[in-house]
Structure formats: C-alpha cells, structure tokens
Amino acid sequence: AQSVTQLDSQVPVFEEAPVELRCNYSSSVSVYLFWYVQYPNQGLQLLLKYLSGSTLVESINGFEAEFNKSQTSFHLRKPSVHISDTAEYFCAVLNTGFQKLVFGTGTRLLVSP
Amino acid sequence: DAGITQSPRHKVTETGTPVTLRCHQTENHRYMYWYRQDPGHGLRLIHYSYGVKDTDKGEVSDGYSVSRSKTEDFLLTLESATSSQTSVYFCAISDSGAGETQYFGPGTRLLVL
C-alpha cells in the first residue's frame, strides 16, 4: 500500500526567507506525485505535479519540487516566500495504474513579516 | 476554475438523522470523488465513481453510501449521522484517473450534534 509522510505539521518562516516542506512516500510501484495548496476556507488547488521526465518541476508562483526516487522524496521549496504563501500544503501520491490519490496530513506554512 | 459546486455549504444536524451532500460538475469529467478532511489526517477518500452507476469504496467508507445517476451529479449519503462524521467534505473531479489533476470543490462543513 502507498503512503505519504509529511513530518512537519507547521512551518513558521519570515517573509523573503527560503522554505522547504518535506514529503516522503512509500510505494512498491511507479508513482505520480502532487503538491496541492489550500488557502483558508477554500478547496485544494494543484500547485505542481510530477508524472515523468525531468525530476524538477516548477509552479507558476515560484515553488519547485524535486522527485528523488532513491530517497522516495518529493520536497517542496521556494527561495523567497511571501505573506500570501500562508496556507496548508498537501503532498499526494498516485500509483500508476490506480485511480486513488493518497494524501499526506498536510503542512501549515505560516509566513510572518 | 473547474465548474464544481457542492451543496449545502454548511449543515448542522443531529445524531441519527440522514444527510445527503451533493456534488455537481459542469466539466463532463468521468471520475468523481468524495473526501473528508480532518485535522491530523489530511484528506481521506470515502468513495469514488468512475462512471454513471459505477462506484467503489475508499479507505473510510463505513457509514457512507454514494450514488451517481448522471455524469454531473455525485451524491454522498450518511444514512444515520454520528458525531464522528463531523468534518469538512470535499468533492473532486478528474477527466481520467491516472496522473490527471483532481479539481476540488469548495467543501461542505458538516456538524453532527
């Protein structure tokens, strides 16, 4: 069975500082990997995803994540955060051949001035 | 934004009463999903549908049933609501299962007293 671990439930950071949100997964087969973001009182929105090809994927708002097969990780990074990045971030894994996403427990990113 | 609506958006009910939540999409996507979101658990899949009248269980399906009589509507029913079913419920859609982005609705906040 596949599972996702987000070890950090909350990450406080100052504005313009770099941040890394960690995600590790377990699966015995090939996977697709996703990061979703949830702003307060809203549904989830896709931030970025890895399906195949380049292991480094980027979002339009400056986030990036790198698929590391040997470490079974898909950490999310941003070199300089903004107040507006305050949200909860969910990592998710989908086994190729299956239809069901499995989510991590989420990491709340708190950006302060 | 993907055309997904959920109704009601908020509901307060009493233990033992039946509750039906509705998810409506205008995207003609094949797959529809119901998740619940609880602190410390992230999102967990309740049921999903891969076509009209085709549904399957997720990891937390006990106490829930679903129906999909039309492509655009996916209903989640709590036959006899319990306090443990107090949660935020999200509907999601995707065009195909493998690797495709899931688009989420705005959520329904359910309180069972």
Side-chain angles (χ1 to χ4, degrees):
Chain A
Q2 50 189 327
S3 66
V4 177
T5 301
Q6 293 182 251
L7 284 173
D8 304 308
S9 60
Q10 190 165 290
V11 174
V13 64
F14 289 109
E15 194 174 20
E16 297 183 7
V19 70
E20 179 180 80
L21 306 184
R22 295 179 294 167
C23 173
N24 289 89
Y25 69 92
S26 67
S27 176
S28 58
V29 297
S30 297
V31 296
Y32 301 131
L33 294 158
F34 303 79
W35 276 100
Y36 280 83
V37 58
Q38 184 180 32
Y39 298 104
N41 299 311
Q42 294 187 25
L44 277 72
Q45 305 171 32
L46 180 71
L47 190 60
L48 46 77
K49 64 182 178 182
Y50 169 79
L51 301 183
S52 64
S54 172
T55 58
L56 185 66
V57 290
E58 299 176 351
S59 71
I60 59 173
N61 58 352
F63 283 94
E64 64 179 29
E66 186 161 19
F67 169 54
N68 187 321
K69 188 174 182 180
S70 62
Q71 302 282 335
T72 60
S73 68
F74 191 55
H75 301 330
L76 181 70
R77 292 185 284 264
K78 189 171 185 179
S80 175
V81 295
H82 301 289
I83 297 286
S84 60
D85 293 325
T86 294
E88 189 152 21
Y89 293 79
F90 293 92
C91 183
V93 62
L94 177 69
N95 278 359
T96 59
F98 289 87
Q99 316 303 335
K100 295 182 261 191
L101 267 180
V102 175
F103 285 88
T105 52
T107 297
R108 191 173 300 275
L109 177 62
L110 300 170
V111 183
S112 54
Chain B
D1 288 345
I4 312 169
T5 56
Q6 293 184 231
S7 58
R9 294 292 314 280
H10 302 272
K11 186 168 183 67
V12 180
T13 191
E14 294 186 349
T15 298
T17 60
V19 176
T20 295
L21 308 183
R22 180 182 182 236
C23 177
H24 179 77
Q25 60 147 328
T26 57
E27 305 295 322
N28 201 36
H29 281 0
R30 178 182 173 190
Y31 290 86
M32 298 186 75
Y33 309 82
W34 276 108
Y35 293 90
R36 59 178 290 174
Q37 183 179 23
D38 305 288
H41 291 278
L43 276 80
R44 293 178 291 175
L45 182 65
I46 304 171
H47 282 280
Y48 71 104
S49 169
Y50 48 95
V52 174
K53 292 187 168 52
D54 293 323
T55 65
D56 203 354
K57 295 179 179 180
E59 65 175 304
V60 290
S61 58
D62 288 349
Y64 301 94
S65 62
V66 290
S67 65
R68 191 169 178 200
S69 59
K70 299 185 290 185
T71 298
E72 57 266 35
D73 289 325
F74 193 33
L75 304 181
L76 177 71
T77 297
L78 291 64
E79 300 290 348
S80 177
T82 67
S83 58
S84 64
Q85 293 176 311
T86 291
S87 186
V88 181
Y89 291 86
F90 286 99
C91 173
I93 64 174
S94 70
D95 201 16
S96 76
E100 286 293 326
T101 299
Q102 289 190 19
Y103 298 95
F104 284 79
T108 293
R109 193 172 294 272
L110 176 67
L111 175 60
V112 183
L113 300 175

